[in-house]
Amino acid sequence: MSFSFDTKNELCKLNVQRLCCARAEAYGILLYCNTFNAAEIRIITENGNFAARLPRLFQKAFGLRFDRLPEEGGKRIFQITDPEKLAAVINLLGYDPKQQLALHINFGLLEEGCCRAAFLRGCFFAGGSIMDPQKRYHLELTCSHLQASRELEALLLECGYRPKSTARNSSFVTYFKQSGQIEDFLTFIGAPSAAMRIMSAKLEKDLRNSVNRRLNCDTANLDKAVEAAQEQLEAIRRLREAGILDRLPDKLQETAALRLANPELSLSELAEAFDPPVTKSCLNHRLRKLAETAKKLP
């Protein structure tokens, strides 16, 4: 199952106790569903849990039943075509049944925070989708009504979110790409488990990135150490070939001999190989002295 499917299943477990919230959720579904006009309501879903929720929700919100109920499996179609039922729904949502239905958000139905959460939940049920956070962060709400989409963006801004919007073919999309915004939105509409999964995915990604950065840093440091050791070995060989190595101070000769015998050791490990051990700073000074002497060779 997809992450969207799982998230909607979580939302379906919520009970709608208050009439105002039931109506707000149904309102969001209608604005973002397949068809809502003065002649027809048509809601299509493949989610069995959402399909089970719809009849109960519309009964509580509007006191009516669907004219058409779906068969089990596949795409499930819910439909209302009865003019009296349609007029009742339109009237309860604050529109004038006698005028042409121009869909926009009636903010008078969404004054309470619980109703706003229910409304946004309905929008997500009917027109929402969310990417698997293991792949990328993206949640969007898609509908075919420009004015409703613009007003949804305004509502989200009032709720403290900062969505983006775009047009896609004949649809209008409101979306989030920041994981924190998506987590907050899902928690607000009633899906805290989905929000926690996004948080966990983000932590895993951060951990992997941290490990990769450390590995890259360690690899870079190892490359530098190998390169430095090769330069030291080359300087020592040049001094030996020039017959100068045997004339250097005993401490430099000892250092050259240990480096030649242990080309794979790091600076710290090489410092420990002396008897008695020397400091890393002391060893670094001796190796620099050997390199400088080699550079002076003709």
Side-chain angles (χ1 to χ4, degrees):
M1 291 185 184
S2 69
F3 191 79
S4 285
F5 199 89
D6 291 342
T7 302
K8 291 180 181 180
N9 282 342
E10 181 184 355
L11 292 171
C12 284
K13 296 176 183 178
L14 295 174
N15 292 321
V16 181
Q17 303 292 342
R18 302 175 63 183
L19 173 62
C20 61
C21 293
R23 192 165 292 169
E25 183 177 317
Y27 188 18
I29 291 170
L30 288 171
L31 286 181
Y32 276 73
C33 72
N34 303 85
T35 305
F36 176 36
N37 55 45
E40 179 188 20
I41 290 174
R42 179 188 293 261
I43 304 169
I44 302 174
T45 182
E46 294 183 358
N47 188 307
N49 290 320
F50 181 48
R53 183 182 184 84
L54 272 173
R56 299 194 303 269
L57 181 68
F58 272 63
Q59 178 65 43
K60 186 173 185 65
F62 306 117
L64 56 79
R65 296 181 178 180
F66 287 97
D67 297 331
R68 174 184 174 182
L69 291 173
E71 298 177 358
E72 289 294 325
K75 288 188 176 180
R76 299 168 171 86
I77 301 175
F78 295 82
Q79 190 176 34
I80 297 176
T81 53
D82 184 309
E84 291 186 4
K85 291 182 181 179
L86 290 167
V89 171
I90 291 169
N91 182 63
L92 287 170
L93 295 179
Y95 303 115
D96 188 344
K98 297 179 181 179
Q99 295 182 355
Q100 183 176 358
L101 186 60
L103 292 179
H104 62 88
I105 296 177
N106 180 1
F107 286 90
L109 297 176
L110 310 177
E111 292 181 353
E112 301 294 332
C114 58
C115 295
R116 292 187 172 195
F119 174 78
L120 293 172
R121 181 165 59 246
C123 295
F124 184 77
F125 269 137
S129 64
I130 181 171
M131 288 286 295
D132 184 338
Q134 295 289 352
K135 298 177 181 177
R136 63 188 178 102
Y137 307 122
H138 184 88
L139 182 150
E140 64 179 46
L141 303 164
T142 305
C143 76
S144 57
H145 311 295
L146 175 59
Q147 187 62 27
S149 179
R150 286 176 174 173
E151 291 176 347
L152 178 76
E153 186 174 354
L155 176 64
L156 287 167
L157 286 169
E158 284 186 18
C159 293
Y161 305 103
R162 293 195 171 276
K164 296 183 179 180
S165 59
T166 188
R168 184 186 300 149
N169 300 324
S170 59
S171 298
F172 305 96
V173 183
T174 305
Y175 65 94
F176 299 103
K177 284 189 173 294
Q178 293 184 334
S179 60
Q181 291 273 289
I182 296 172
E183 292 162 12
D184 291 345
F185 177 83
L186 291 176
T187 301
F188 183 58
I189 66 174
S193 294
M196 285 299 298
R197 287 178 63 186
I198 293 176
M199 294 179 195
S200 297
K202 183 167 62 176
L203 288 173
E204 289 176 13
K205 287 181 182 179
D206 290 344
L207 180 60
R208 282 198 300 269
N209 290 337
S210 176
V211 171
N212 288 336
R213 282 194 299 270
R214 179 167 293 184
L215 287 174
N216 291 337
C217 181
D218 289 345
T219 300
N221 289 336
L222 180 60
D223 289 343
K224 289 180 181 178
V226 171
E227 184 179 348
Q230 291 301 321
E231 290 176 356
Q232 294 157 11
L233 290 168
E234 180 61 27
I236 294 168
R237 291 188 187 106
R238 289 188 63 201
L239 291 170
R240 185 175 58 186
E241 291 170 1
I244 296 175
L245 188 60
D246 294 338
R247 300 200 298 269
L248 293 176
D250 292 343
K251 290 182 178 180
L252 291 183
Q253 290 187 46
E254 181 186 14
T255 299
L258 273 173
R259 172 46 89 194
L260 287 172
N262 303 280
E264 78 287 353
L265 294 185
S266 67
L267 206 60
S268 298
E269 292 168 334
L270 189 62
E272 290 292 324
F274 282 79
D275 185 18
V278 298
T279 65
K280 185 177 175 182
S281 175
C282 174
L283 176 58
N284 196 38
H285 173 74
R286 293 182 187 180
L287 289 169
R288 274 205 312 270
K289 189 68 176 177
L290 289 170
E292 290 169 1
T293 305
K295 285 180 180 179
K296 294 177 183 179
L297 293 175

